[in-house]
Amino acid sequence: MTIDQLGMAKIRHLQQIHDLKSYRNACRVISQLESYVHQTYFNKEKVFYLNKEGRKLIGSTKEVKRNALIEHTLLCNEAYLHFNCPLDWKTEYKIESKEKVPTFDIQFKGLSPATKKVVSDAAFTRNGYLHLIEVDNKRGMADNQKKIESYVDMLAEVRERLGLIPTLYIFTHTDHRKKKFESWMKKHNIRGEVKVFEEIK
C-alpha cells in the first residue's frame, strides 16, 4: 500500500506499513521523498500526500488535496493498520443490487429494475469473509442509523452473489456511539464488531 493508495498518510502510518523500524528512520526515509510529496499538518502531526512530480513518478492520475476529509482519510488508515494491512484493501467499496420489477405477466416498456446501493468506507476479503469497514467520524447518529439499515438487505445479497460471509466493522470515537451502533447491529442481526479508535491505536 502506497501513499497514492492511502491518499494521505502520517509518518507513523508509513513507518508501520513499510516496516521502517524507528520513527527517526521513518523521518529520514520520508525526507528523501520531499520533492515528490506535499506536506501539511493535522493535529500537530505531519501528513504527506503526492504532489504532481510524485504522481508522475508512479504513473498515478489520482490528485489528492487537503480538504475537510483529511481526518476521515487518516482514520481509515488506522483501520487499515488494525487489520494488518490487507493486500486487497479497497476504499469506497460499493455494493449494488437490482430489485426485480413485478410484471404480472405483462411487459412494461422502459421499466427497469430499481437499484439499491450502499458504499462502505473500505473492504477486504479474508478466510471466506468480506470485511466491510465503516469509519464514523462526524456523521449525525440519525444518518448513521439509516446507513446501518441500508446494509440489512445488501448483506444477504453479498452472501448470495459473492459466496462470502459479510462482516461489518465500525470504528467510532466514543463509548456512547459504540453502544448505539452495537444495539442497531444486534436489532438487525448484523454480524460484526464496533470499536472505539482509542482501542486500536
Side-chain angles (χ1 to χ4, degrees):
M1 185 68 76
T2 64
I3 295 179
D4 182 49
Q5 291 164 301
L6 292 174
M8 294 182 168
K10 298 178 184 178
I11 291 176
R12 181 175 55 80
H13 295 155
L14 297 170
Q15 178 189 1
Q16 287 181 251
I17 292 165
H18 297 291
D19 194 21
L20 297 176
K21 310 302 180 196
S22 70
Y23 187 85
R24 185 177 176 181
N25 183 55
C27 289
R28 182 189 63 78
V29 170
I30 292 164
S31 71
Q32 296 171 4
L33 302 173
E34 66 180 24
S35 57
Y36 300 105
V37 294
H38 288 300
Q39 177 184 305
T40 188
Y41 285 85
F42 183 78
N43 287 347
K44 299 181 181 177
E45 286 188 84
K46 287 181 183 178
V47 175
F48 300 90
Y49 54 103
L50 292 177
N51 61 20
K52 186 178 178 181
E53 288 304 309
R55 294 194 305 274
K56 185 177 173 183
L57 179 71
I58 65 168
S60 172
T61 56
K62 187 169 97 179
E63 184 176 1
V64 174
K65 293 180 180 178
R66 186 192 163 113
N67 58 30
L69 295 175
I70 183 171
E71 183 177 11
H72 190 269
T73 300
L74 296 174
L75 290 173
C76 280
N77 292 352
E78 297 294 344
Y80 173 69
L81 291 168
H82 172 70
F83 289 108
N84 297 317
C85 309
L87 293 174
D88 63 345
W89 180 270
K90 291 180 180 69
T91 56
E92 298 294 305
Y93 184 83
K94 190 191 300 179
I95 307 167
E96 280 186 314
S97 75
K98 290 189 175 177
E99 296 181 305
K100 289 179 182 172
V101 178
T103 61
F104 307 108
D105 295 326
I106 303 167
Q107 293 293 325
F108 293 98
K109 244 185 173 181
L111 195 60
S112 59
T115 301
K116 288 166 103 178
K117 118 179 141 173
V118 65
V119 181
S120 301
D121 290 319
F124 69 97
T125 58
R126 190 177 281 169
N127 301 326
Y129 289 84
L130 174 64
H131 301 277
L132 300 163
I133 315 301
E134 281 294 330
V135 171
D136 169 46
N137 188 20
K138 293 178 179 170
R139 186 189 286 139
M141 290 309 277
D143 288 337
N144 277 328
Q145 186 173 12
K146 284 179 192 167
K147 182 88 185 257
I148 295 299
E149 288 167 356
S150 71
Y151 270 107
V152 177
D153 295 332
M154 303 304 289
L155 295 182
E157 176 90 6
V158 166
R159 190 166 193 160
E160 189 178 305
R161 192 157 38 95
L162 302 179
L164 295 166
I165 301 167
T167 307
L168 180 62
Y169 292 89
I170 299 171
F171 296 90
T172 189
H173 285 287
T174 67
D175 287 325
H176 174 71
R177 288 170 86 93
K178 175 180 178 177
K179 284 173 185 166
K180 281 275 191 191
F181 279 115
E182 286 174 336
S183 69
W184 294 331
M185 288 172 70
K186 186 176 181 181
K187 176 184 174 185
H188 295 294
N189 200 26
I190 294 174
R191 172 196 291 269
E193 193 174 359
V194 185
K195 285 192 175 287
V196 175
F197 282 107
E198 288 304 314
E199 294 180 79
I200 67 169
K201 287 184 179 179

